[in-house]
Amino acid sequence: HVRVRGEISGFKRAASGHLYLSLKDENAKIDGVMWKGGAARLPFRPEDGIEVVATGKLTIYPGRSSYQIVIDSMEIAGEGALLQLLERLKAKLAAEGLFDPTLKRPLPYLPRVIGVVTSPTGAVIRDILHRLADRCPTRVIVWPVLVQGHGSAEQVAAAVDGFSAMDGPDRPDVVIVARGGGSIEDLWGFNEEIVVRAVAGCSIPIISAVGHETDTTLCDFAADVRAPTPTAAAEMAVPVRSELIAGLQTLQARSLRAVKRYGERAEER
């Protein structure tokens, strides 16, 4: 077994699900194959030009009398390679218009139902529910998903699509996609193309609240509004109920004074 660091070249995904590629650097190149089972567990989508670290067994391919590596696992080689991949994907999706600011929709002022796509455990959902209860108690529907690791991107995209397809009284007026802070690797699922396309195509206004204030994902660019934190997303979603009631009471008092004044002037006339 060996670990090989190199740039992916000649990447192909066969109809069987197996992956075929080469790993190269400035001096050498070696062919590689990854069988369907291992390919399904990859936390990212391989493509030409990505620098990776592949772990597997060195074997000989008799058909060409050449060495190859049968890859068991593969990871992106460091944060620099991840950022490079991120910029390429961002440019591709921006060219398709998925981040067009003219397509952003305003949030409803007083949502009747709020959908939340996040992990059902942990601090994020507790923070959102607590903040909503403080500001303006509202019905919340949580669509539980993995927010990190293998399969997380597919689950988040399915949740967003699921909310978008709902109808009837349970359909949310606004959706919050939320996750706590973490490294670029931890947040990578929210940079996946499947998630970005689901968020951009959702028929319901979406608030993206992924990571802390300094974290940015492609999900943020595709959403209608980006919140710096999950708690801030809850604040954006609803007004403060006490302030709303105070404002209504002020308007009521003004309207009563206006009616009274009208009556007094009528008596004078």
Side-chain angles (χ1 to χ4, degrees):
H1 276 81
V2 295
R3 283 169 61 82
V4 179
R5 178 169 179 155
E7 181 182 307
I8 294 177
S9 172
F11 174 78
K12 289 187 295 185
R13 185 185 296 271
S16 60
H18 305 323
L19 308 183
Y20 297 93
L21 52 91
S22 296
L23 297 174
K24 67 175 185 177
D25 60 17
E26 63 274 13
N27 299 315
K29 181 173 80 169
I30 185 170
D31 292 332
V33 59
M34 191 172 198
W35 305 129
K36 179 181 178 180
R41 295 192 299 271
L42 280 176
F44 68 99
R45 300 182 189 279
E47 59 182 71
D48 286 355
I50 302 176
E51 189 177 10
V52 298
V53 175
T55 303
K57 182 184 290 185
L58 203 61
T59 65
I60 294 176
Y61 177 57
R64 290 204 304 257
S65 299
S66 62
Y67 287 105
Q68 68 175 10
I69 178 172
V70 178
I71 301 169
D72 296 326
S73 63
M74 190 161 53
E75 59 194 42
I76 294 180
E79 188 171 317
L82 272 176
L83 291 173
Q84 183 181 13
L85 176 60
L86 179 63
E87 287 303 316
R88 281 165 45 190
L89 183 56
K90 180 181 177 182
K92 171 191 169 184
L93 297 177
E96 294 183 28
L98 268 65
F99 306 148
D100 188 347
T102 62
L103 301 179
K104 307 299 183 187
R105 295 159 296 186
L107 301 178
Y109 176 67
L110 192 61
R112 185 179 40 82
V113 179
I114 296 175
V116 179
V117 178
T118 192
S119 169
T121 60
V124 168
I125 187 60
R126 291 198 301 269
D127 289 346
I128 290 174
L129 293 175
H130 180 71
R131 199 71 185 117
L132 289 173
D134 282 349
R135 287 176 67 87
C136 186
T138 309
R139 186 178 176 211
V140 175
I141 299 177
V142 179
W143 198 304
V145 296
L146 288 173
V147 292
Q148 181 178 335
H150 175 66
S152 62
E154 287 76 11
Q155 288 193 19
V156 171
V160 172
D161 289 340
F163 274 136
S164 182
M166 287 175 67
D167 54 16
D170 291 335
R171 177 181 168 84
D173 300 308
V174 65
V175 172
I176 299 173
V177 178
R179 187 208 188 280
S183 66
I184 185 172
E185 291 88 352
D186 295 337
L187 303 178
W188 190 257
F190 295 90
N191 290 318
E192 291 280 5
E193 187 171 344
I194 187 173
V195 171
V196 178
R197 292 191 182 280
V199 170
C202 185
S203 60
I204 302 170
I206 288 190
I207 303 174
S208 175
V210 179
H212 296 310
E213 191 165 357
T214 55
D215 298 321
T216 304
T217 65
L218 297 185
C219 178
D220 297 331
F221 292 102
D224 296 288
V225 175
R226 176 186 180 259
T229 63
T231 301
E235 294 175 354
M236 292 176 176
V238 294
V240 179
R241 183 174 182 270
S242 59
E243 293 178 0
L244 180 60
I245 291 173
L248 290 172
Q249 289 173 341
T250 299
L251 291 173
Q252 182 186 36
R254 288 175 59 187
S255 65
L256 289 174
R257 286 197 300 270
V259 170
K260 184 179 179 181
R261 206 161 42 240
Y262 181 84
E264 289 172 348
R265 289 176 182 172
E267 288 178 0
E268 289 171 0
R269 286 197 295 270

